[in-house]
Amino acid sequence: MRLLLQQRPDGHEAPRFVQLMLQPDLFGGWELVRETGQQGARSSLRREQYPDQAAALAAIEKARDAQLKKGFQLMFASGFDGPR
C-alpha cells in the first residue's frame, strides 16, 4: 500500500511531499514507512513497527488525515480502498 501526498507549489520553492507506505515485515508484523522532503532535494525516512495489519492501517489513515489537514493533496494511491 502506498500513498503520495504533495503540497501545492507556491512558485518560490519546490513543493514538499510525504510518501506513506505499508509493508509486512519478516516477523509477522507490519511497518509504516514515511518519507518526507522537498522535491529535488534530500528526504528523510522514518519507520514505525505495528503488531498487525489493522493497527498499521489505522496508523496510515491517521497520518494521511493529518497531512490533508496541513494542506497536502493526495496525488497517488496504490493498494488503498479509501476512507473507512
Side-chain angles (χ1 to χ4, degrees):
M1 176 177 300
R2 178 177 165 232
L3 301 174
L4 177 65
L5 299 105
Q6 179 179 316
Q7 280 185 328
R8 184 172 290 179
D10 63 2
H12 298 295
E13 55 185 41
R16 297 194 58 76
F17 72 92
V18 175
Q19 181 170 222
L20 304 169
M21 295 174 285
L22 275 187
Q23 54 195 30
D25 66 16
L26 296 175
F27 305 107
W30 285 80
E31 184 175 68
L32 171 58
V33 180
R34 298 175 191 236
E35 182 181 9
T36 60
Q38 198 168 12
Q39 287 186 342
R42 296 177 78 167
S43 63
S44 64
L45 198 65
R46 191 170 81 191
R47 298 175 186 273
E48 300 171 15
Q49 300 292 328
Y50 293 93
D52 55 37
Q53 187 177 20
L57 283 171
I60 197 171
E61 290 173 354
K62 184 177 177 181
R64 177 204 58 203
D65 292 346
Q67 296 304 320
L68 290 173
K69 286 181 183 178
K70 291 180 182 180
F72 282 78
Q73 296 177 329
L74 183 62
M75 304 303 286
F76 177 81
S78 173
F80 188 70
D81 294 334
R84 293 179 179 203

